[in-house]
Amino acid sequence: MRDNDVVWHSGAINRSRWERRNGHKSAIVWFTGLSGSGKSTLACAVEERLHGSGYRTCILDGDNLRHGLCADLGFSDEARHENIRRAGEVAKLFVDVGIIVLAAFISPFEQDRQQVRALVPAGGFFEIYCKCPIEVCEQRDVKGLFWRARRGQVRHFTGISAPYEEPVAPALTLRTDQHGIHESAESVIAMLHASGVLRLPQQQTA
Amino acid sequence: MRDNDVVWHSGAINRSRWERRNGHKSAIVWFTGLSGSGKSTLACAVEERLHGSGYRTCILDGDNLRHGLCADLGFSDEARHENIRRAGEVAKLFVDVGIIVLAAFISPFEQDRQQVRALVPAGGFFEIYCKCPIEVCEQRDVKGLFWRARRGQVRHFTGISAPYEEPVAPALTLRTDQHGIHESAESVIAMLHASGVLRLPQQQTA
């Protein structure tokens, strides 16, 4: 078998049908930033709000995926590329069934993030930069990783021994050291409202 | 970074909350069988029926995943193990948000299929064996692959130059050469009803 022997099957129910069923569009909301910048916390806070309003969501979390789909990957640049490639492909599968994906990944490389953007239709990818000075992330150090990284016990640690490329043109930059979780979550929701993702059919026809 | 440096984040909305929202349980319905045995066609037919009745579903198709998430994998035994491992992990992510996954994969190895079963709670995995004599699959040969495999142009072709291990204890065995698509789809739906997956809250409280 070769790759070009593989035939594509178009499923019975496409994205548009799921979006009509759900009453909103699907999209990838991609939270990027240093470890400890609040990506996962923010993604969960946004999901809680969206769920409460009846939206279909799912969380893809970098740490969680590394326990499953990406358990075979390390933290070299190459492994990080593959990690984000897989995360993007999975996010696309959720978008295909009308779901708003809240993805929280350090995703240090601009090119990887742009590759995910290219997987979904234009306007379906929102990059949220959780911007927080590394000193603040290090003070929080919820996982104790900075402490160990400073002592050389953790290799390839983003911001210390591995690079982080800031987003070039994010949909939103949130200073998570200056604003609380409530305010940040509301900013994301407002951005999604403004972009039309959360529009329900009755609002479209009104 | 090492694997055991990775902390698990529990998302805001768990499977039970999604199941309550959806009004049915989530599960993996796993179609296995030779190329040409009708797995994808049957998965789509089942999805069309479930969608029509308001259930939340998604299709994971072996051929489609090989254009995306598994585009880096070939068809050696090792690559097939990894293909099914990833498919299983993705299926689990959908189950976590309350969705009924209709997965169509040749998945020739019993061990791989059991590994997927182990990813979800007991009673959440249904193995459907699409049983069809290879002669019939070959007569259909919708993708022209048997023709080429017989001429040695396709390596590692399941049933010809690669093994297929029949399911030991499938939830359902469908002779797709003897029964039409409508009948087969109804058998799957009936099995899901009997197993309680499709039960809606009002039926549970009745």
Side-chain angles (χ1 to χ4, degrees), chain A residues 1-3 5-13 17-18 21-22 40 44-45 47-48 50-75 80 82 85-87 89-90 93-94 97 99 143 145 148 153-157, chain B residues 1-3 5-13 17-18 21-22 40 44-45 47-48 50-75 80 82 85-87 89-90 93-94 97 99 143 145 148 153-157:
Chain A
M1 292 286 285
R2 296 174 317 202
D3 277 358
D5 290 329
V6 176
V7 179
W8 176 271
H9 296 276
S10 59
I13 318 295
R17 280 178 72 181
W18 282 117
R21 167 74 58 90
N22 293 346
S40 298
C44 287
E47 175 169 65
E48 190 67 52
L50 290 177
H51 185 268
S53 302
Y55 295 98
R56 298 280 156 178
T57 58
C58 82
I59 298 238
L60 289 183
D61 185 278
D63 287 346
N64 294 5
L65 248 62
R66 283 186 175 276
H67 285 271
L69 180 65
C70 299
D72 56 321
L73 300 175
F75 294 88
R80 285 174 190 264
E82 175 64 9
R85 187 191 73 80
R86 291 188 198 171
E89 293 288 355
V90 172
L93 294 172
F94 278 97
V97 293
I99 287 176
K143 307 170 197 169
L145 290 174
R148 296 184 45 223
Q153 295 171 15
V154 184
R155 290 174 61 214
H156 305 302
F157 193 80
Chain B
M1 293 286 286
R2 297 174 317 204
D3 278 357
D5 291 327
V6 177
V7 179
W8 175 270
H9 296 276
S10 58
I13 318 295
R17 280 179 72 182
W18 282 118
R21 167 75 56 89
N22 294 345
S40 298
C44 287
E47 176 170 63
E48 190 67 54
L50 290 177
H51 186 268
S53 302
Y55 295 98
R56 298 280 156 178
T57 58
C58 81
I59 298 236
L60 289 184
D61 185 278
D63 287 346
N64 295 4
L65 248 62
R66 282 187 176 276
H67 285 272
L69 180 66
C70 300
D72 56 321
L73 300 175
F75 294 88
R80 285 174 189 264
E82 174 64 8
R85 187 191 73 80
R86 291 187 198 172
E89 293 287 356
V90 172
L93 294 172
F94 279 97
V97 293
I99 287 175
K143 306 171 197 169
L145 290 174
R148 296 182 45 223
Q153 295 170 16
V154 183
R155 290 173 61 214
H156 305 302
F157 193 79

Side-chain angles (χ1 to χ4, degrees), chain B residues 14-26 98:
Chain B
N14 63 19
R15 184 171 53 87
S16 299
R17 280 179 72 182
W18 282 118
E19 287 179 338
R20 282 200 301 276
R21 167 75 56 89
N22 294 345
H24 60 83
K25 294 175 188 157
S26 62

Side-chain angles (χ1 to χ4, degrees), chain A residues 103-148:
Chain A
F105 292 83
I106 297 174
S107 51
F109 301 115
E110 175 73 11
Q111 187 193 329
D112 293 346
R113 297 186 302 255
Q114 293 312 314
Q115 198 177 310
V116 176
R117 182 190 297 271
L119 287 174
V120 292
F125 178 89
F126 301 89
E127 193 178 26
I128 315 287
Y129 178 23
C130 295
K131 187 170 185 174
C132 185
I134 193 164
E135 298 75 24
V136 177
C137 297
E138 189 159 0
Q139 277 165 22
R140 295 173 179 169
D141 204 11
V142 277
K143 307 170 197 169
L145 290 174
F146 279 95
W147 191 89
R148 296 184 45 223

Side-chain angles (χ1 to χ4, degrees), chain B residues 1-187:
Chain B
M1 293 286 286
R2 297 174 317 204
D3 278 357
N4 54 6
D5 291 327
V6 177
V7 179
W8 175 270
H9 296 276
S10 58
I13 318 295
N14 63 19
R15 184 171 53 87
S16 299
R17 280 179 72 182
W18 282 118
E19 287 179 338
R20 282 200 301 276
R21 167 75 56 89
N22 294 345
H24 60 83
K25 294 175 188 157
S26 62
I28 300 174
V29 186
W30 190 273
F31 300 88
T32 174
L34 298 175
S35 178
S37 63
K39 302 178 297 298
S40 298
T41 307
L42 182 54
C44 287
V46 170
E47 176 170 63
E48 190 67 54
R49 283 162 174 77
L50 290 177
H51 186 268
S53 302
Y55 295 98
R56 298 280 156 178
T57 58
C58 81
I59 298 236
L60 289 184
D61 185 278
D63 287 346
N64 295 4
L65 248 62
R66 282 187 176 276
H67 285 272
L69 180 66
C70 300
D72 56 321
L73 300 175
F75 294 88
S76 67
D77 286 4
E78 192 177 40
R80 285 174 189 264
H81 294 314
E82 174 64 8
N83 186 46
I84 299 306
R85 187 191 73 80
R86 291 187 198 172
E89 293 287 356
V90 172
K92 182 188 185 304
L93 294 172
F94 279 97
V95 163
D96 285 347
V97 293
I99 287 175
I100 299 167
V101 181
L102 305 164
F105 292 83
I106 297 173
S107 49
F109 301 114
E110 175 73 11
Q111 188 193 330
D112 292 347
R113 298 188 300 258
Q114 293 312 314
Q115 197 176 310
V116 177
R117 182 191 296 272
L119 287 174
V120 291
F125 178 89
F126 301 89
E127 193 177 28
I128 315 287
Y129 178 24
C130 295
K131 187 170 184 173
C132 185
I134 193 164
E135 298 74 25
V136 177
C137 296
E138 188 160 359
Q139 277 165 21
R140 295 173 180 169
D141 203 11
V142 277
K143 306 171 197 169
L145 290 174
F146 279 95
W147 191 89
R148 296 182 45 223
R150 291 293 183 193
R151 280 148 194 83
Q153 295 170 16
V154 183
R155 290 173 61 214
H156 305 302
F157 193 79
T158 301
I160 293 180
S161 47
Y164 179 80
E165 298 172 3
E166 292 199 317
V168 174
L172 210 58
T173 297
L174 298 171
R175 283 295 304 254
T176 53
D177 58 323
Q178 298 174 358
H179 304 289
I181 183 72
H182 175 76
E183 194 181 342
S184 295
E186 291 302 327
S187 297

